[in-house]
Amino acid sequence: MIDIGVHVVVRDASLREALVTRITRAPGFYVAQQQASFTGLAPGDLVLTTTTDCSLQQCAEQTRGGVKVVLLAPVLREAERASYALAGGRYIPMLVDTRQLFEALAGASRGERSPIAGA
């Protein structure tokens, strides 16, 4: 099994540290980089970010460049989910139970497209 590298791009230091700690403890995953901006990412990189840190436009730009983007949303909004999916991102709710998070990261690393809400 190949471990999946995750770039954590979150400006809030407390949230970034919590995500880094959780990813570090998860089998099959490692933190490739942790930062507060999208600089230095390359095609094929897998990014975990939030809707606060990554606008719809930024998501579209990153995915057009070959970056795989998984977005955590503090409040799930179906219209927002559909918009991020159309932009190429994977949008999931920010939950204490991280099962869905790791499923989304694994799916994104395999290049699976996120389902569009209502489709």
Side-chain angles (χ1 to χ4, degrees):
M1 175 181 198
I2 298 174
D3 286 348
I4 298 169
V6 180
H7 294 259
V8 180
V9 179
V10 176
R11 283 185 288 254
D12 182 282
S14 297
L15 177 57
R16 185 174 58 241
E17 185 59 36
L19 292 169
V20 165
T21 299
R22 181 62 188 99
I23 292 166
T24 301
R25 293 180 181 163
F29 293 89
Y30 68 94
V31 176
Q33 191 172 27
Q34 54 178 312
Q35 57 198 39
S37 74
F38 290 89
T39 58
L41 296 172
D45 285 347
L46 173 60
V47 171
L48 175 61
T49 189
T50 69
T51 54
T52 302
D53 293 305
C54 183
S55 69
L56 190 57
Q57 180 181 348
Q58 285 174 307
C59 180
E61 288 172 9
Q62 293 300 318
T63 59
R64 273 194 305 273
V67 175
K68 301 166 187 173
V69 180
V70 175
L71 299 115
L72 292 172
V75 176
L76 187 65
R77 294 181 176 95
E78 288 303 325
E80 187 176 60
R81 181 198 315 246
S83 294
Y84 274 105
L86 286 170
R90 296 179 70 89
Y91 175 105
I92 61 171
M94 192 180 300
L95 303 171
V96 173
D97 177 1
T98 55
R99 179 187 50 81
Q100 188 175 10
L101 168 62
F102 288 104
E103 289 173 356
L105 289 170
S109 75
R110 293 188 296 267
E112 296 173 3
R113 297 230 4 135
S114 180
I116 299 171

